[in-house]
Amino acid sequence: MNLVKYVRLSILFMLLLSTVAMAGNSVNILVYHHVSSETPPSTSVTPQQFRQHLSALSEGPFQVVDLAWALNQIQTGAPLPDNAVAITFDDGYNDIHTNGMPLLVEFGMPFTVFVSTETIDRRFGDMMDWETLRDLQANGATIANHSVKHDYFVRQFPLDDVWLAAAYADITEAQTRIEAELGPSPKWFAYPYGEFNHALRDKLQQEGWIAFGQQSGGVGPYSDFQALPRFPAGGIYANWNTLKTKLMSRPLPVDYHALPDPITQLNPPQLVARLKEPLPNRQKLNCFVNGEWLPTHWENAQTFSIQPTKSLGAGRSRYNCTYSIGDGAFYWFSHQWLRP
Ligand SMILES: [Zn+2]
């Protein structure tokens, strides 16, 4: 999309938003992969399900927003619509173009697609090519960075300075490739598989990036902007009724940057979280791991810790917490661990 067109669209978009209530300070980001009934169900929504999602999102209380605009509102302390939602896709499969885009255009919704450049260059599997991505761009998409090779970034050893330099070089190489084909792209990076450690996160912060994981939760004033959560919306998460509850949630007000490194030696790992605002009734905070309820230990009025009794298995695990704030709405909090 050229700049003039982008500015024109942005103005139109802001005029549109000025007609809705701007009382929120957070956005919930959805992450999709496939829009198809022929791809692996675990990472897919069918076109029918996708239409159902967009149709529901086009009505109150939801407001689908442009991701760049929403992140900027949060970073500058400016308001957002009360139930703001942003739409993203990872990987760049062809079905986003054939099945997803026509519906997004029909509903007039902006979206972001994170692509791994080597899979696009080599047309791995059923990936889009650059020409197709240009067509997405012309229809409201922002194309952003999902690395060159889609490797497991932090399942390599040792995770030392040489590793970090190579990981960061992969990210900048992908950015160069995207910009060569599509023009300027925001400095946004979606971690492949949502996996990262603090060394990589801190490097991206130093270099001025915004980065996205795949732990669930919303983005708000206390978010860690190099570890932003997104709600998965495909596979078992595609059910609209449960997804709707998540999209009505707000991020639990904790200091996200101070959360532990997802990769830790301690097993089961202890999560310590510091609340930025006290909870009126901390008994209502409920935390779980793999379906097991976890007791919360309060170190003081605004610091709690949770630790399961059983060790975590290999791969990714998540601790999830919710807190009812009334009217069917929740604070939501999730922390992902990785045992390589
Ligand atoms: Zn991916």
Side-chain angles (χ1 to χ4, degrees), residues 55-70:
S55 173
L57 288 171
S58 71
E59 295 164 4
F62 299 110
Q63 180 73 36
V64 172
V65 297
D66 178 74
L67 182 56
W69 177 82

Side-chain angles (χ1 to χ4, degrees), residues 90-91 146 150:
D90 277 7
D91 302 344
H146 196 35
H150 206 286

Side-chain angles (χ1 to χ4, degrees), residues 276-320:
K276 302 289 275 188
E277 299 160 16
L279 297 174
N281 179 0
R282 65 194 200 190
Q283 260 72 42
K284 291 200 298 183
L285 184 69
N286 279 300
C287 300
F288 298 86
V289 59
N290 303 324
E292 178 201 345
W293 182 78
L294 293 172
T296 43
H297 301 282
W298 290 86
E299 289 175 20
N300 57 54
Q302 291 189 215
T303 306
F304 69 91
S305 66
I306 46 179
Q307 188 174 26
T309 49
K310 285 179 241 146
S311 298
L312 301 180
R316 297 184 291 270
S317 308
R318 295 182 187 107
Y319 296 175
N320 290 318

Side-chain angles (χ1 to χ4, degrees), residues 33-239:
H33 288 81
H34 289 287
V35 183
S36 171
S37 41
E38 282 143 38
T39 47
S42 63
T43 52
S44 303
V45 284
T46 66
Q48 291 79 7
Q49 282 173 321
F50 195 54
R51 174 179 282 284
Q52 185 199 12
H53 290 186
L54 299 193
S55 173
L57 288 171
S58 71
E59 295 164 4
F62 299 110
Q63 180 73 36
V64 172
V65 297
D66 178 74
L67 182 56
W69 177 82
L71 296 178
N72 189 58
Q73 292 292 100
I74 293 167
Q75 287 184 306
T76 57
L80 283 161
D82 219 4
N83 288 281
V85 176
I87 297 171
T88 71
F89 296 85
D90 277 7
D91 302 344
Y93 295 104
N94 249 322
D95 52 67
I96 299 169
H97 182 251
T98 50
N99 300 333
M101 188 185 85
L103 291 168
L104 289 155
V105 169
E106 181 185 325
F107 285 96
M109 293 172 177
F111 59 105
T112 300
V113 183
F114 292 95
V115 299
S116 296
T117 55
E118 190 173 272
T119 67
I120 302 298
D121 279 327
R122 297 194 182 182
R123 303 290 312 276
F124 282 164
D126 191 22
M127 292 291 170
M128 286 183 272
D129 58 16
W130 293 108
E131 199 50 46
T132 310
L133 287 168
R134 275 188 278 276
D135 191 45
L136 280 191
Q137 258 188 325
N139 284 281
T142 300
I143 311 301
N145 190 334
H146 196 35
S147 82
V148 172
K149 293 177 187 293
H150 206 286
D151 277 341
Y152 288 100
F153 268 60
V154 289
R155 298 196 191 199
Q156 298 167 30
F157 292 96
L159 294 167
D160 57 9
D161 288 351
V162 175
W163 158 79
L164 183 60
Y168 187 64
D170 181 290
I171 296 167
T172 55
E173 187 188 331
Q175 191 75 4
T176 302
R177 189 75 195 102
I178 290 168
E179 297 199 348
E181 291 286 349
L182 306 174
S185 172
K187 283 178 89 171
W188 294 352
F189 180 64
Y191 299 108
Y193 312 100
E195 296 181 359
F196 62 93
N197 66 357
H198 279 184
L200 183 56
R201 176 201 71 173
D202 294 347
K203 175 70 177 169
L204 290 172
Q205 184 183 25
Q206 280 162 24
E207 305 287 345
W209 291 76
I210 290 175
F212 302 83
Q214 286 184 22
Q215 76 279 23
S216 58
V219 176
Y222 308 125
S223 290
D224 182 346
F225 270 74
Q226 287 72 40
L228 295 180
R230 294 182 290 169
F231 283 105
I236 57 167
Y237 303 108
N239 180 288

